[in-house]
Amino acid sequence: MKWTIGAILAGLLALVMGANGLAMLFAGPWWYGVVPGVVLTGPFNPHFVKDIGAAYLVVGASLGAFAWRPAAAFSALVAAAGFLTLHAAIHVGDALASPTCGADLVRDLPGIFVPALISLGLVAAFLNPAKEPRHA
């Protein structure tokens, strides 16, 4: 198997998203207390945190499948990117309605927006592969 930059990025993102999902499923109260901004969303709801943790676990598995077998798991990548992008859009909407909009966007940049952008970049790169230079 040839490890490309895309496969490596997908694999690393898979580990992070999967670990986040596992933390939400099995250490929800801890996760709720340590992730910046989460406590501002309301009281801890263990069922809701586990539901979203399950989604993150699926995202991690999907990205991992794409890292391992890109052609066979492209649709899994698209689904993962879809969740991450919609999740990011919700955060943008919430931030725009908040008096602390700029701070909210900065806070959410590493954990929400960067994963969505990476996953969208992986989709775009897969759909538009770089052309090999022609040699004379």
Side-chain angles (χ1 to χ4, degrees):
M1 174 178 176
K2 181 180 175 187
W3 284 96
T4 65
I5 294 294
I8 293 167
L9 277 174
L12 291 172
L13 193 55
L15 291 173
V16 172
M17 297 295 101
N20 184 60
L22 289 172
M24 292 174 83
L25 284 166
F26 298 107
W30 171 82
W31 176 90
Y32 185 83
V34 300
V35 175
V38 173
V39 296
L40 303 174
T41 65
F44 174 66
N45 180 330
H47 180 93
F48 184 70
V49 169
K50 287 179 182 178
D51 281 347
I52 303 305
Y56 269 103
L57 197 57
V58 171
V59 165
S62 297
L63 289 163
F66 178 77
W68 187 249
R69 298 279 188 253
F74 177 69
S75 59
L77 169 66
V78 171
F83 169 78
L84 293 172
T85 301
L86 290 171
H87 183 219
I90 291 166
H91 279 254
V92 169
D94 287 349
L96 291 175
S98 169
T100 58
C101 176
D104 293 352
L105 293 172
V106 169
R107 177 199 66 217
D108 292 344
L109 182 66
I112 304 297
F113 303 128
V114 169
L117 291 170
I118 291 171
S119 66
L120 287 173
L122 290 169
V123 169
F126 188 85
L127 290 174
N128 300 298
K131 302 285 188 236
E132 291 293 322
R134 298 177 97 188
H135 299 287

